[in-house]
Amino acid sequence: MRFPRRAARRDDDDDGRSLGVRLPRYVAGPLLQVVRRLCMALAVLATAVVIVYADRGGYTDNHDGEVGFADVLYYVTVSLSTTGYGDVVPASDGARLITTFLITPLRVLFLIILVGTTLEVLTERTRDQWRLAHWRKTLRDHTVIVGFGTKGRSAAETLMSGGLSQDQIVVVDPSAAVVEHANAEGYAGVVGDATRSSVLMRARVGRARQVVISTQRDDTAVLVALTVRQLSSKVRIVASVREAENVPLLRQSGADSVITSASAVGRLLGLSMISPSSGAVMEDLIQHSKGLSLRERPVTKAEAGRSPRECPDLVVSVIRGHRLLGFDDEAAQTLELTDRLVVIHRVRPEDVKPLTQKQERDRGPGSWRIPRR
C-alpha cells in the first residue's frame, strides 16, 4: 500500500484555524432585498411625515404661507433626499428643534437604507468573523465527516434520520466546490486536506464525539485516522475502505470500526443474483427512514430477565459491556438491564420526524442557512 507524499505540516495559531471554515447561511434573493429596503425607506418617510404634520403650524410656505399635507409630504421628501429647495422651511423654534433632532437622524437613516448594499459589503466580514467565533466557541460533541461524496452524504442523512441535528455535523473536504454544496444543504464545512492536523483542528476534532472517514482512497483514510487519533484519543472513528486487505491497517491506525465498501457492495450484488428477495430485504435494512431498519436500544425493565426471543422486536445481537453476543449465544439467553440490543424493527410513519417549517425552507433549492443558537 503506497502513501502519497505529504507537505510539511505548519502549526497555525488559534486564529489561523478559522481559515477555510465555511458556515451555512441564508441569503435572501435580490428582489426580496430590494422590496425590504423599499419598505424600510417608506417607513422612515411616513414617520417623518407624521412628525412634521403634527407640528405643521411651525412651518411656513414661501408660496402661500399655509402648510398642508401635500406641502408636508413635499418638504419631507426633499429633506430626506438632502435636496432642500428652501420653499418650505421651519419658522418656529419648536419646528427647528424637531428638524434638528428628529428629521436629521431620519435623513441619515434614509441615506443608510439607500446605500445599504455598500454598507452590507463593508460589514459582511465583521459579521462572518462574529458568527465564526460563536461557532467555534459553542461547537462540541459533534460529528465530523471527512469526504462529502456519495458515502459521506449518505452517512450524514442516516445520522440525521437517527436524531442528530444538522448543525452538529461538520464536513471536511479538499474541494471548495464540494464544501460550498454542503453549505447549500445546511452543513458547516472546512476546506482542506484532512491529513493535516491544522485542517482537523479547524473542524474541532478534539471536541468531537465521532469522526466518519469516507475518503476516495484507502491510503488517505489511513493517514486521516492517524491524524485524528493523534489529536484525540477518545473520539470514535468509523472509516470506510475499498479493499479488505487494508482493514487491519486502518484498525491499527486507530479506527474503531471499518466498513469495506467494495466487498459489501459485491456481496449485496451476489446476494441479489442468488436470491432477489434476500437482496431486497438487505437493501431495505440499510435504508434507515423506511421499511425495515436496524437500530440499537437499551433493554427495558419489562425485558430484563427474559430471553431475546421474548422481545417485541427481532433481536440480532446483545451488547454486554464491550462484548457483542449473538442472539443465540448461551450468555445472552437472559437479558440484563444494563445490556443494549441490536434489533430489526419496522419504521412506522410516526417514527419519522417531520421537518419543521424552518428545515423545509432550508432544504429549498439554492438556500443557505444560519444556525440559530
Side-chain angles (χ1 to χ4, degrees):
M1 178 176 182
R2 294 184 299 175
F3 293 86
R5 292 185 178 181
R6 301 177 62 183
R9 292 188 179 181
R10 177 176 57 86
D11 293 330
D12 298 341
D13 58 14
D14 193 56
D15 292 335
R17 293 170 194 162
S18 301
L19 300 176
V21 179
R22 301 186 180 183
L23 300 182
R25 56 182 177 175
Y26 174 76
V27 178
L31 180 59
L32 181 59
Q33 293 186 39
V34 171
V35 172
R36 184 181 300 168
R37 289 195 176 95
L38 181 60
C39 292
M40 294 172 63
L42 291 176
V44 172
L45 181 66
T47 302
V49 168
V50 171
I51 293 174
V52 175
Y53 187 77
D55 190 47
R56 60 188 181 279
Y59 293 79
T60 181
D61 185 357
N62 295 331
H63 176 64
D64 55 9
E66 296 182 359
V67 178
F69 178 78
D71 298 320
V72 169
L73 183 61
Y74 167 76
Y75 167 76
V76 169
T77 303
V78 297
S79 296
L80 294 185
S81 61
T82 68
T83 304
Y85 295 106
D87 43 358
V88 179
V89 294
S92 66
D93 292 339
R96 290 174 180 176
L97 289 175
I98 290 176
T99 302
T100 302
F101 294 106
L102 294 179
I103 301 301
T104 299
L106 289 176
R107 180 186 298 120
V108 175
L109 180 59
F110 189 79
L111 293 176
I112 289 176
I113 294 174
L114 292 181
V115 297
T117 302
T118 303
L119 293 178
E120 184 176 358
V121 172
L122 295 177
T123 58
E124 182 79 18
R125 183 175 180 84
T126 302
R127 184 168 63 249
D128 288 345
Q129 288 179 348
W130 182 88
R131 292 178 63 246
L132 183 57
H134 178 75
W135 176 80
R136 291 169 54 198
K137 182 179 180 180
T138 57
L139 185 66
R140 61 182 66 253
D141 294 332
H142 56 288
T143 298
V144 178
I145 299 180
V146 179
F148 202 63
T150 303
K151 293 181 292 185
R153 186 175 289 104
S154 298
E157 292 174 355
T158 302
L159 288 170
M160 291 177 60
S161 63
L164 189 67
S165 60
Q166 194 173 32
D167 56 3
Q168 283 295 102
I169 297 177
V170 180
V171 173
V172 179
D173 199 280
S175 172
V178 171
V179 174
E180 183 178 353
H181 184 69
N183 284 159
E185 295 183 4
Y187 302 99
V190 177
V191 181
D193 183 3
T195 62
R196 297 174 60 90
S197 59
S198 59
V199 173
L200 293 178
M201 291 170 71
R202 296 172 199 164
R204 291 298 186 258
V205 166
R207 297 190 299 189
R209 175 177 298 178
Q210 53 195 3
V211 176
V212 178
I213 303 176
S214 58
T215 56
Q216 298 297 323
R217 294 169 57 95
D218 290 359
D219 50 4
T220 305
V222 172
L223 291 175
V224 173
L226 286 170
T227 308
V228 171
R229 190 55 71 198
Q230 179 186 12
L231 296 175
S232 175
S233 59
K234 298 180 180 180
V235 65
R236 174 175 171 79
I237 302 176
V238 179
S240 98
V241 293
R242 292 180 177 271
E243 304 297 335
E245 61 182 8
N246 295 325
V247 172
L249 185 59
L250 214 18
R251 291 189 180 276
Q252 292 177 4
S253 302
D256 298 287
S257 180
V258 183
I259 308 299
T260 309
S261 58
S263 60
V265 173
R267 286 193 292 269
L268 185 58
L269 289 173
L271 180 62
S272 299
M273 292 295 294
I274 297 173
S275 175
S277 299
S278 299
V281 172
M282 289 300 299
E283 185 177 1
D284 190 12
L285 283 174
I286 62 178
Q287 294 181 0
H288 193 275
S289 58
K290 64 179 182 178
L292 299 176
S293 179
L294 277 171
R295 71 177 178 129
E296 180 182 330
R297 65 171 179 83
V299 173
T300 63
K301 292 183 179 180
E303 295 169 341
R306 296 187 177 184
S307 168
R309 301 179 187 275
E310 300 179 64
C311 295
D313 296 323
L314 180 60
V315 178
V316 178
S317 299
V318 178
I319 304 173
R320 180 167 297 166
H322 297 286
R323 293 187 301 164
L324 183 64
L325 307 175
F327 72 95
D328 56 349
D329 195 306
E330 293 184 1
Q333 294 310 303
T334 301
L335 296 177
E336 300 178 2
L337 193 58
T338 56
D339 292 342
R340 296 188 64 84
L341 304 178
V342 179
V343 302
I344 296 177
H345 76 116
R346 179 166 294 278
V347 179
R348 299 180 297 272
E350 56 268 23
D351 295 333
V352 181
K353 298 180 179 180
L355 296 178
T356 63
Q357 293 182 354
K358 184 175 184 297
Q359 289 174 328
E360 289 284 1
R361 186 191 70 227
D362 295 335
R363 290 171 64 92
S367 61
W368 296 72
R369 179 185 175 194
I370 301 177
R372 301 294 183 186
R373 299 186 187 278

